[in-house]
Amino acid sequence: MTNSNVLKDSEIELVSHARITAIGAYVPERKITNADMEQMVDTSDEWIVQRTGIHERRAVRDGEFTSDMCIRAVEDMRANYSVNVEDVDMILVATNTPDVPFPSVAAIVQAHFGIASTGTLDINATCAGFAYGLHLANGLISAGLHRKILVFGADTLTRVTDYTDRTTCILFGDGAGVVMVERDMGNGAFQAVTLGTDGTGGKHVYRSGARKELHGAELVGEGNIVQNGREVYRFAVSTVPKGVAALLEQTGGTADQIDWFVPHSANLRIIESICEKTGIPIEKALYSLEYYGNTSAASIPLAIHLGVQEGKVKPGDNMLLFGFGGGLTYTGLMLRWM
């Protein structure tokens, strides 16, 4: 059934009275190198790097959870920016690996910092979650409902990884990133958005739970991540270039006006293919997979944080963020950095 009231991306007029004012990140100290992976499954450093671009990934220690990483990310942000969290009026945490089903990770973060009065919400859009969170934050602030929002991308994927599956266990790591999004009536930074879902593809990448079947496919994995890499690759390299084109159409810009392209850090070969199809030079791509692995919702903020630390990302830069993953779901954003 076709709904004639649904807007096409080219018809969306994005309103923005919000901008990012600070960023923080945290990754656990423990490293899982490719040499370590060689001791777990039949693989090699050369095979992993050639197919994914990953050299190592980080893993939480016993007793360390997603909320702990979020808290450390806020501490990193406060150490580097003059921001207060005491007056935050909404906390959005993009994650598919909460400490417990409830209370939310956002509520645990609120309790730790003793924020007196704030909304708290976890978002599960897997690898598109952080971009989704930014879109929601801009909407809530621009609608006049909130003034100051913390947006996290955080996951502990090593806890839901099958380390007997050589095709997936080489990919995943843990980490967290956070940004502060604040109201700014005269300097809104969000320029364009595109998002969508192909729910029929959910059977290609999932984490099993109570349900044992989805769209005619048996769900396996006993609570761990299960992924059809070929199908996910096909989804990414066909969907993201179309999304990039939709964002450029909304802004009336061209690929050479993008200062930094920040896709989900799933696999370097996927990023290379997307860059080739979109005409965005790979040198303009920021990614965090090389030493952090695929961290799902955390991969985009971690990549931006690395870019800031390395002196690449500057205030005023035009950035194109694009998350994609389980669902199959995607979210792309054009924004001006700070």
Side-chain angles (χ1 to χ4, degrees):
M1 181 179 295
T2 301
N3 185 345
S4 60
N5 294 321
V6 174
L7 292 176
K8 297 178 181 178
D9 288 334
S10 59
E11 298 172 320
I12 295 173
E13 282 191 40
L14 185 65
V15 175
S16 181
H17 301 308
R19 66 184 180 92
I20 294 169
T21 58
I23 186 170
Y26 171 76
V27 292
E29 293 182 4
R30 179 187 165 210
K31 298 178 181 180
I32 302 178
T33 66
N34 287 349
D36 295 326
M37 299 306 307
E38 291 175 354
Q39 304 303 310
M40 300 180 194
V41 291
D42 181 16
T43 191
S44 69
D45 174 70
E46 181 183 9
W47 191 92
I48 296 171
V49 173
Q50 183 180 50
R51 285 162 178 78
T52 70
I54 297 170
H55 292 267
E56 60 188 40
R57 58 295 290 143
R58 298 297 182 95
V60 290
R61 65 182 186 276
D62 290 344
E64 187 175 28
F65 300 96
T66 299
S67 66
D68 298 307
M69 295 195 302
C70 288
I71 290 164
R72 295 290 294 273
V74 171
E75 292 171 347
D76 175 71
M77 180 180 69
R78 294 203 298 184
N80 291 286
Y81 296 86
S82 298
V83 293
N84 297 318
V85 300
E86 290 77 10
D87 57 346
V88 163
D89 54 15
M90 176 63 77
I91 301 171
L92 301 175
V93 178
T95 186
N96 68 82
T97 51
D99 303 17
V100 290
F102 61 87
S104 66
V105 174
I108 297 172
V109 171
Q110 179 276 332
H112 176 86
F113 290 104
I115 302 172
S117 180
T118 186
T120 55
L121 181 67
D122 284 3
I123 307 163
N124 186 356
T126 59
C127 308
F130 180 73
Y132 242 111
L134 286 178
H135 176 53
L136 292 175
N138 176 64
L140 291 169
I141 291 175
S142 299
L145 302 175
H146 292 272
R147 295 176 296 103
K148 195 171 182 180
I149 300 178
L150 286 174
V151 181
F152 294 85
D155 273 304
T156 49
L157 296 186
T158 60
R159 284 215 166 90
V160 292
T161 295
D162 178 0
Y163 285 100
T164 67
D165 180 1
R166 67 190 294 265
T167 64
T168 62
C169 70
I170 61 172
L171 299 173
F172 301 120
D174 304 333
V178 63
V179 294
M180 183 78 79
V181 184
E182 298 190 59
R183 187 170 177 82
D184 191 330
M185 290 298 294
N187 195 30
F190 292 80
Q191 303 164 354
V193 63
T194 183
L195 52 84
T197 299
D198 175 12
T200 63
K203 62 187 178 182
H204 297 313
V205 54
Y206 63 86
R207 182 154 65 93
S208 58
R211 184 167 182 158
K212 303 304 178 185
E213 172 274 337
L214 182 64
H215 304 312
E218 180 187 5
L219 301 182
V220 297
E222 298 182 353
N224 290 323
I225 300 169
V226 176
Q227 176 174 278
N228 182 328
R230 188 182 301 274
E231 291 296 332
V232 173
Y233 180 91
R234 184 177 296 138
F235 168 73
V237 300
S238 63
T239 302
V240 179
K242 293 176 184 176
V244 170
L247 291 170
L248 292 175
E249 182 180 355
Q250 287 180 55
T251 60
T254 59
D256 60 5
Q257 293 173 313
I258 298 169
D259 293 307
W260 299 108
F261 174 46
V262 196
H264 164 50
S265 285
N267 182 310
L268 186 55
R269 306 308 157 225
I270 291 177
I271 295 173
E272 289 171 341
S273 178
I274 292 169
C275 285
E276 182 179 354
K277 290 176 182 291
T278 58
I280 300 173
I282 188 67
E283 292 78 17
K284 287 189 174 183
L286 300 177
Y287 46 87
S288 54
L289 59 83
E290 193 172 11
Y291 294 103
Y292 297 158
N294 178 341
T295 54
S296 192
S299 78
I300 289 177
L302 287 177
I304 298 172
H305 188 261
L306 285 171
V308 171
Q309 284 188 315
E310 293 168 1
K312 295 178 179 179
V313 177
K314 304 282 198 310
D317 282 354
N318 290 315
M319 306 186 76
L320 195 159
L321 282 52
F322 216 108
F324 55 88
L328 297 167
T329 300
Y330 67 89
T331 307
L333 289 172
M334 285 278 288
L335 57 86
R336 185 180 65 257
W337 183 248
M338 297 202 173

